mmCIF file of all heavy atoms in Angstrom:
data_model
loop_
_atom_site.group_PDB
_atom_site.id
_atom_site.type_symbol
_atom_site.label_atom_id
_atom_site.label_comp_id
_atom_site.label_asym_id
_atom_site.label_seq_id
_atom_site.Cartn_x
_atom_site.Cartn_y
_atom_site.Cartn_z
ATOM 1 N N LEU A 1 -8.399 5.579 -2.210
ATOM 2 C CA LEU A 1 -7.207 6.180 -1.458
ATOM 3 C C LEU A 1 -6.979 7.638 -1.723
ATOM 4 O O LEU A 1 -6.831 8.440 -0.898
ATOM 5 C CB LEU A 1 -5.951 5.389 -1.811
ATOM 6 C CG LEU A 1 -4.697 5.672 -1.020
ATOM 7 C CD1 LEU A 1 -4.967 5.425 0.450
ATOM 8 C CD2 LEU A 1 -3.578 4.927 -1.574
ATOM 9 N N LEU A 2 -7.269 7.963 -3.062
ATOM 10 C CA LEU A 2 -7.095 9.386 -3.439
ATOM 11 C C LEU A 2 -8.130 10.351 -2.910
ATOM 12 O O LEU A 2 -8.005 11.492 -3.071
ATOM 13 C CB LEU A 2 -6.880 9.461 -4.962
ATOM 14 C CG LEU A 2 -5.714 8.744 -5.569
ATOM 15 C CD1 LEU A 2 -5.706 8.704 -7.108
ATOM 16 C CD2 LEU A 2 -4.367 9.410 -5.053
ATOM 17 N N LYS A 3 -9.326 9.773 -2.461
ATOM 18 C CA LYS A 3 -10.345 10.621 -1.956
ATOM 19 C C LYS A 3 -10.071 10.987 -0.427
ATOM 20 O O LYS A 3 -10.899 11.755 0.062
ATOM 21 C CB LYS A 3 -11.608 9.946 -2.111
ATOM 22 C CG LYS A 3 -12.009 9.835 -3.603
ATOM 23 C CD LYS A 3 -13.394 9.032 -3.774
ATOM 24 C CE LYS A 3 -13.776 8.793 -5.236
ATOM 25 N NZ LYS A 3 -14.976 8.102 -5.383
ATOM 26 N N LEU A 4 -9.164 10.270 0.240
ATOM 27 C CA LEU A 4 -8.912 10.456 1.637
ATOM 28 C C LEU A 4 -8.253 11.882 1.894
ATOM 29 O O LEU A 4 -7.569 12.385 1.011
ATOM 30 C CB LEU A 4 -7.924 9.430 2.152
ATOM 31 C CG LEU A 4 -8.437 7.914 2.181
ATOM 32 C CD1 LEU A 4 -7.357 7.039 2.650
ATOM 33 C CD2 LEU A 4 -9.703 7.763 2.950
ATOM 34 N N PRO A 5 -8.468 12.359 3.114
ATOM 35 C CA PRO A 5 -7.735 13.584 3.423
ATOM 36 C C PRO A 5 -6.185 13.368 3.274
ATOM 37 O O PRO A 5 -5.762 12.312 3.640
ATOM 38 C CB PRO A 5 -8.138 13.880 4.948
ATOM 39 C CG PRO A 5 -9.427 13.068 5.043
ATOM 40 C CD PRO A 5 -9.290 11.912 4.174
ATOM 41 N N PHE A 6 -5.571 14.413 2.780
ATOM 42 C CA PHE A 6 -4.115 14.199 2.420
ATOM 43 C C PHE A 6 -3.280 14.466 3.737
ATOM 44 O O PHE A 6 -2.909 15.487 4.043
ATOM 45 C CB PHE A 6 -3.692 15.229 1.403
ATOM 46 C CG PHE A 6 -2.329 14.992 0.838
ATOM 47 C CD1 PHE A 6 -1.955 13.889 0.126
ATOM 48 C CD2 PHE A 6 -1.358 15.902 1.255
ATOM 49 C CE1 PHE A 6 -0.698 13.668 -0.356
ATOM 50 C CE2 PHE A 6 0.075 15.702 0.833
ATOM 51 C CZ PHE A 6 0.318 14.603 -0.019
ATOM 52 N N ASN A 7 -3.025 13.289 4.404
ATOM 53 C CA ASN A 7 -2.148 13.449 5.539
ATOM 54 C C ASN A 7 -1.083 12.253 5.450
ATOM 55 O O ASN A 7 -0.667 11.832 6.576
ATOM 56 C CB ASN A 7 -2.980 13.367 6.871
ATOM 57 C CG ASN A 7 -3.690 12.069 7.040
ATOM 58 O OD1 ASN A 7 -3.766 11.245 6.085
ATOM 59 N ND2 ASN A 7 -4.234 11.696 8.125
ATOM 60 N N TYR A 8 -0.753 11.796 4.307
ATOM 61 C CA TYR A 8 0.142 10.671 4.182
ATOM 62 C C TYR A 8 1.330 11.166 3.308
ATOM 63 O O TYR A 8 1.339 12.126 2.660
ATOM 64 C CB TYR A 8 -0.514 9.502 3.528
ATOM 65 C CG TYR A 8 -1.322 9.784 2.279
ATOM 66 C CD1 TYR A 8 -0.734 9.820 1.029
ATOM 67 C CD2 TYR A 8 -2.714 9.967 2.337
ATOM 68 C CE1 TYR A 8 -1.427 10.195 -0.057
ATOM 69 C CE2 TYR A 8 -3.413 10.188 1.223
ATOM 70 C CZ TYR A 8 -2.714 10.214 0.057
ATOM 71 O OH TYR A 8 -3.429 10.579 -1.173
ATOM 72 N N THR A 9 2.414 10.266 3.355
ATOM 73 C CA THR A 9 3.681 10.473 2.526
ATOM 74 C C THR A 9 3.872 9.481 1.565
ATOM 75 O O THR A 9 4.790 9.464 0.798
ATOM 76 C CB THR A 9 4.943 10.593 3.438
ATOM 77 O OG1 THR A 9 4.978 9.401 4.170
ATOM 78 C CG2 THR A 9 4.799 11.654 4.459
ATOM 79 N N GLY A 10 2.969 8.381 1.540
ATOM 80 C CA GLY A 10 3.071 7.452 0.498
ATOM 81 C C GLY A 10 1.979 6.350 0.640
ATOM 82 O O GLY A 10 1.076 6.472 1.409
ATOM 83 N N PHE A 11 2.100 5.320 -0.303
ATOM 84 C CA PHE A 11 1.150 4.220 -0.361
ATOM 85 C C PHE A 11 1.900 2.956 -0.006
ATOM 86 O O PHE A 11 2.993 2.636 -0.474
ATOM 87 C CB PHE A 11 0.593 4.055 -1.711
ATOM 88 C CG PHE A 11 -0.094 5.245 -2.331
ATOM 89 C CD1 PHE A 11 -0.320 5.392 -3.738
ATOM 90 C CD2 PHE A 11 -0.549 6.338 -1.574
ATOM 91 C CE1 PHE A 11 -0.979 6.461 -4.251
ATOM 92 C CE2 PHE A 11 -1.280 7.462 -2.103
ATOM 93 C CZ PHE A 11 -1.372 7.589 -3.476
ATOM 94 N N GLY A 12 1.114 2.165 0.867
ATOM 95 C CA GLY A 12 1.725 0.752 1.118
ATOM 96 C C GLY A 12 0.771 -0.213 0.420
ATOM 97 O O GLY A 12 -0.477 -0.160 0.542
ATOM 98 N N LEU A 13 1.343 -1.179 -0.244
ATOM 99 C CA LEU A 13 0.602 -2.235 -0.860
ATOM 100 C C LEU A 13 0.207 -3.241 0.212
ATOM 101 O O LEU A 13 1.170 -3.825 0.874
ATOM 102 C CB LEU A 13 1.283 -2.891 -2.051
ATOM 103 C CG LEU A 13 0.717 -4.130 -2.608
ATOM 104 C CD1 LEU A 13 -0.534 -3.767 -3.377
ATOM 105 C CD2 LEU A 13 1.801 -4.909 -3.439
ATOM 106 N N MET A 14 -1.065 -3.656 0.374
ATOM 107 C CA MET A 14 -1.504 -4.627 1.300
ATOM 108 C C MET A 14 -1.245 -6.031 0.672
ATOM 109 O O MET A 14 -1.887 -6.273 -0.341
ATOM 110 C CB MET A 14 -2.843 -4.384 1.765
ATOM 111 C CG MET A 14 -3.074 -3.002 2.432
ATOM 112 S SD MET A 14 -4.940 -2.636 2.727
ATOM 113 C CE MET A 14 -5.165 -3.696 4.168
ATOM 114 N N THR A 15 -0.438 -6.815 1.314
ATOM 115 C CA THR A 15 -0.214 -8.228 0.753
ATOM 116 C C THR A 15 -1.159 -9.227 1.358
ATOM 117 O O THR A 15 -1.807 -8.975 2.303
ATOM 118 C CB THR A 15 1.281 -8.487 1.139
ATOM 119 O OG1 THR A 15 1.528 -8.366 2.450
ATOM 120 C CG2 THR A 15 2.256 -7.661 0.285
ATOM 121 N N GLY A 16 -1.129 -10.472 0.742
ATOM 122 C CA GLY A 16 -2.044 -11.495 1.232
ATOM 123 C C GLY A 16 -3.274 -11.565 0.307
ATOM 124 O O GLY A 16 -3.412 -11.076 -0.756
ATOM 125 N N PRO A 17 -4.270 -12.303 0.951
ATOM 126 C CA PRO A 17 -5.501 -12.552 0.151
ATOM 127 C C PRO A 17 -6.200 -11.251 -0.263
ATOM 128 O O PRO A 17 -6.947 -11.221 -1.234
ATOM 129 C CB PRO A 17 -6.406 -13.341 1.162
ATOM 130 C CG PRO A 17 -5.454 -14.047 2.123
ATOM 131 C CD PRO A 17 -4.243 -13.098 2.189
ATOM 132 N N VAL A 18 -6.162 -10.195 0.522
ATOM 133 C CA VAL A 18 -6.815 -8.879 0.205
ATOM 134 C C VAL A 18 -6.363 -8.407 -1.253
ATOM 135 O O VAL A 18 -7.240 -7.763 -1.881
ATOM 136 C CB VAL A 18 -6.557 -7.826 1.255
ATOM 137 C CG1 VAL A 18 -5.172 -7.345 1.213
ATOM 138 C CG2 VAL A 18 -7.473 -6.647 1.093
ATOM 139 N N SER A 19 -5.137 -8.669 -1.685
ATOM 140 C CA SER A 19 -4.747 -8.289 -3.023
ATOM 141 C C SER A 19 -4.303 -9.544 -3.893
ATOM 142 O O SER A 19 -3.920 -9.345 -5.068
ATOM 143 C CB SER A 19 -3.435 -7.414 -2.846
ATOM 144 O OG SER A 19 -3.760 -6.223 -2.257
ATOM 145 N N ASN A 20 -4.392 -10.679 -3.196
ATOM 146 C CA ASN A 20 -3.944 -11.924 -3.959
ATOM 147 C C ASN A 20 -2.459 -11.637 -4.495
ATOM 148 O O ASN A 20 -2.270 -11.921 -5.718
ATOM 149 C CB ASN A 20 -4.824 -12.380 -5.139
ATOM 150 C CG ASN A 20 -5.927 -13.226 -4.559
ATOM 151 O OD1 ASN A 20 -5.823 -13.945 -3.647
ATOM 152 N ND2 ASN A 20 -7.105 -13.175 -5.169
ATOM 153 N N ALA A 21 -1.738 -11.200 -3.637
ATOM 154 C CA ALA A 21 -0.301 -10.788 -4.013
ATOM 155 C C ALA A 21 0.578 -10.969 -2.790
ATOM 156 O O ALA A 21 0.170 -10.828 -1.603
ATOM 157 C CB ALA A 21 -0.281 -9.368 -4.575
ATOM 158 N N MET A 22 1.905 -11.200 -3.131
ATOM 159 C CA MET A 22 2.925 -11.163 -2.038
ATOM 160 C C MET A 22 4.022 -10.221 -2.530
ATOM 161 O O MET A 22 4.184 -9.822 -3.666
ATOM 162 C CB MET A 22 3.539 -12.626 -1.956
ATOM 163 C CG MET A 22 4.224 -13.113 -3.231
ATOM 164 S SD MET A 22 5.352 -14.415 -3.074
ATOM 165 C CE MET A 22 6.797 -13.613 -2.329
ATOM 166 N N VAL A 23 4.956 -9.862 -1.573
ATOM 167 C CA VAL A 23 5.977 -9.132 -1.788
ATOM 168 C C VAL A 23 7.242 -9.790 -1.293
ATOM 169 O O VAL A 23 7.252 -10.285 -0.134
ATOM 170 C CB VAL A 23 5.941 -7.689 -1.206
ATOM 171 C CG1 VAL A 23 7.244 -6.972 -1.189
ATOM 172 C CG2 VAL A 23 4.996 -6.812 -2.023
ATOM 173 N N LEU A 24 8.293 -9.950 -2.001
ATOM 174 C CA LEU A 24 9.571 -10.418 -1.621
ATOM 175 C C LEU A 24 10.436 -9.286 -1.328
ATOM 176 O O LEU A 24 10.821 -8.424 -2.322
ATOM 177 C CB LEU A 24 10.229 -11.364 -2.766
ATOM 178 C CG LEU A 24 11.603 -11.731 -2.546
ATOM 179 C CD1 LEU A 24 11.831 -12.632 -1.279
ATOM 180 C CD2 LEU A 24 12.113 -12.484 -3.713
ATOM 181 N N ASP A 25 10.857 -9.093 -0.156
ATOM 182 C CA ASP A 25 11.713 -7.913 0.266
ATOM 183 C C ASP A 25 13.125 -8.374 0.545
ATOM 184 O O ASP A 25 13.320 -9.151 1.495
ATOM 185 C CB ASP A 25 11.030 -7.240 1.607
ATOM 186 C CG ASP A 25 11.753 -5.990 1.893
ATOM 187 O OD1 ASP A 25 11.957 -5.184 0.938
ATOM 188 O OD2 ASP A 25 12.081 -5.819 3.055
ATOM 189 N N LEU A 26 14.136 -7.993 -0.182
ATOM 190 C CA LEU A 26 15.441 -8.271 -0.123
ATOM 191 C C LEU A 26 16.256 -7.175 0.522
ATOM 192 O O LEU A 26 16.281 -6.121 0.066
ATOM 193 C CB LEU A 26 16.008 -8.564 -1.514
ATOM 194 C CG LEU A 26 15.206 -9.694 -2.291
ATOM 195 C CD1 LEU A 26 15.376 -9.642 -3.730
ATOM 196 C CD2 LEU A 26 15.561 -11.065 -1.786
ATOM 197 N N ASP A 27 16.777 -7.495 1.677
ATOM 198 C CA ASP A 27 17.212 -6.440 2.620
ATOM 199 C C ASP A 27 18.562 -6.433 3.081
ATOM 200 O O ASP A 27 18.976 -6.440 4.205
ATOM 201 C CB ASP A 27 16.293 -6.827 3.894
ATOM 202 C CG ASP A 27 16.075 -5.513 4.734
ATOM 203 O OD1 ASP A 27 16.347 -4.376 4.218
ATOM 204 O OD2 ASP A 27 15.802 -5.663 5.945
#
């Protein structure tokens, strides 16, 4: 990610099998 051209404002964590992780979002 850090090698990409800098045109972003943040990082999003990809959830599901790709990371073997989930996010609980309390809204």
Side-chain angles (χ1 to χ4, degrees):
L1 189 61
L2 294 174
K3 293 177 183 177
L4 295 177
F6 186 72
N7 62 352
Y8 50 81
T9 61
F11 302 159
L13 174 69
M14 298 176 74
T15 52
V18 67
S19 293
N20 274 330
M22 61 160 287
V23 166
L24 170 63
D25 187 47
L26 302 158
D27 202 19

